[in-house]
Amino acid sequence: MKTKKITIFGVLIALAFILSYIESLIPIPIPVPGIKLGLANLVVITGLYVMGEKEAFVLSLIRILLVSFTFGSPSTLLFSFAGGILSCFCMILMKQIGKFSLTGVSIAGGVAHNIGQVFIAILVVNNILMIYYLPFLLISGLVTGLVIGMVGALIVGSVKKYHLVTGNNN
Amino acid sequence: MGNKMLKRNDMIMMGIVLLIALISLGFFFLNKKEGSAVIITVDGEIYQQTELDQNNTIKIKQDNGDYNEVIIEDGYVWMTDADCPDKLCVKHNKIHYDHETIVCLPHKVVVEIVGGEENTVDIIAK
């Protein structure tokens, strides 16, 4: 079982890494800093439902560090870190409350991610006016969280159906 | 499958987030005033302050080589050039109203428009 867990971790991190790269290639037509698709969140949410809370947290931490050092700069690390960690904590909390579906948890994650980014932006440029971007980022987090959540629900459904992770045929 | 994807609680949460966003957008919209001055800050420090009705081209050169160029023309302000990696600031729409900003996060540059005299006093007092 331990080998299996390590393998799944490796596969999920590789997937998150690739998805972050693909995302960096897609131009976003809205010139508001911080708007992102959050494709890598697909992996974190899958990890959260298939493996567990601790695993999802470790997964998002490793992903943020890897992606920032590879494709980003020190300033993107700060933003990804604040957004990613807040989003992950928020999703774990929402899942523990137990009153929301996977899609709902993903939406909360998307919104929390963007709130984290706006607060870092306020600190980085030292200007409270960044708060004016918050409504746009709330809506974009909602939409991307919804889309990612729906795809995530399909993925988690399939993974569980075919016992890809918890299968006892090892 | 389709109706299982979203629970009632998810809908309520989405509604609340949407409501907060729309109320604050409405609030910003109602408080929209004509701007009168442009303040450019770098890392929170005022780099240059100028009038909005004065056509101008401002080059922001930082010691570490970071570069941005701002144009003020006919009461509108926009960023024409920057050597930052994402170029989001250059793509940003022209700004004109009080409190509107163009940010270049990688360079910590903020171009903001301030309103009537009241605001200018506030800024100086800060």
Side-chain angles (χ1 to χ4, degrees):
Chain A
M1 193 57 210
K2 207 180 170 211
T3 324
K4 193 159 188 175
K5 198 170 173 183
I6 293 169
T7 317
I8 291 164
F9 247 121
V11 170
L12 287 179
I13 288 169
L15 261 175
F17 198 53
I18 298 285
L19 288 175
S20 298
Y21 177 64
I22 291 173
E23 182 166 305
S24 72
L25 297 177
I26 304 171
I28 288 154
I30 312 159
V32 174
I35 287 190
K36 263 194 256 184
L37 285 172
L39 284 177
N41 201 32
L42 205 51
V43 176
V44 177
I45 195 127
T46 306
L48 180 62
Y49 275 85
V50 170
M51 299 180 79
E53 288 159 4
K54 236 187 336 191
E55 287 82 357
F57 180 73
V58 173
L59 201 62
S60 61
L61 199 66
I62 295 176
R63 176 196 74 83
I64 291 163
L65 290 175
L66 264 181
V67 171
S68 297
F69 281 122
T70 322
F71 308 120
S73 58
S75 75
T76 47
L77 174 67
L78 197 62
F79 282 93
S80 314
F81 197 77
I85 296 300
L86 192 65
S87 159
C88 191
F89 272 132
C90 191
M91 290 198 291
I92 290 173
L93 191 74
M94 293 293 275
K95 186 178 177 248
Q96 275 181 347
I97 291 172
K99 292 192 171 164
F100 299 92
S101 70
L102 186 147
T103 311
V105 170
S106 167
I107 294 168
V111 172
H113 180 271
N114 288 356
I115 291 175
Q117 299 224 316
V118 169
F119 279 100
I120 289 293
I122 289 173
L123 295 178
V124 165
V125 299
N126 218 334
N127 192 324
I128 191 75
L129 282 183
M130 295 301 103
I131 202 98
Y132 276 71
Y133 285 106
L134 193 59
F136 300 102
L137 285 167
L138 284 180
I139 294 171
S140 90
L142 188 85
V143 174
T144 56
L146 180 67
V147 174
I148 296 294
M150 287 175 144
V151 179
L154 292 175
I155 294 175
V156 171
S158 304
V159 169
K160 285 195 169 155
K161 191 173 160 196
Y162 297 108
H163 305 289
L164 292 180
V165 174
T166 49
N168 42 15
N169 52 340
N170 46 349
Chain B
M1 184 79 200
N3 44 358
K4 245 190 186 173
M5 236 168 206
L6 279 173
K7 285 188 192 171
R8 207 170 70 98
N9 287 328
D10 301 333
M11 296 292 198
I12 294 171
M13 179 183 63
M14 285 169 73
I16 291 172
V17 173
L18 213 58
L19 204 66
I20 293 172
L22 291 179
I23 286 174
S24 38
L25 273 181
F27 180 75
F28 296 159
F29 186 76
L30 289 176
N31 285 322
K32 214 171 185 175
K33 283 179 290 186
E34 294 287 311
S36 67
V38 183
I39 297 178
I40 298 172
T41 57
V42 177
D43 202 3
E45 305 270 317
I46 293 184
Y47 182 88
Q48 195 169 338
Q49 182 165 0
T50 171
E51 295 305 310
L52 189 58
D53 52 12
Q54 232 170 12
N55 292 354
N56 205 346
T57 304
I58 300 164
K59 291 180 166 64
I60 306 154
K61 283 182 187 145
Q62 296 183 46
D63 296 336
N64 56 11
D66 291 350
Y67 172 76
N68 295 70
E69 190 180 87
V70 178
I71 284 191
I72 305 170
E73 203 176 288
D74 302 329
Y76 284 85
V77 184
W78 68 100
M79 191 91 78
T80 46
D81 197 16
D83 61 354
C84 57
D86 57 10
K87 299 271 191 293
L88 277 174
C89 50
V90 181
K91 288 181 208 144
H92 200 288
N93 296 338
K94 294 179 181 184
I95 56 173
H96 172 65
Y97 293 102
D98 183 25
H99 287 323
E100 281 190 312
T101 55
I102 297 177
V103 206
C104 182
L105 283 176
H107 291 176
K108 300 183 183 181
V109 170
V110 182
V111 179
E112 72 178 80
I113 293 190
V114 291
E117 260 127 51
E118 218 183 307
N119 280 330
T120 323
V121 172
D122 277 353
I123 298 291
I124 291 165
K126 237 197 283 180

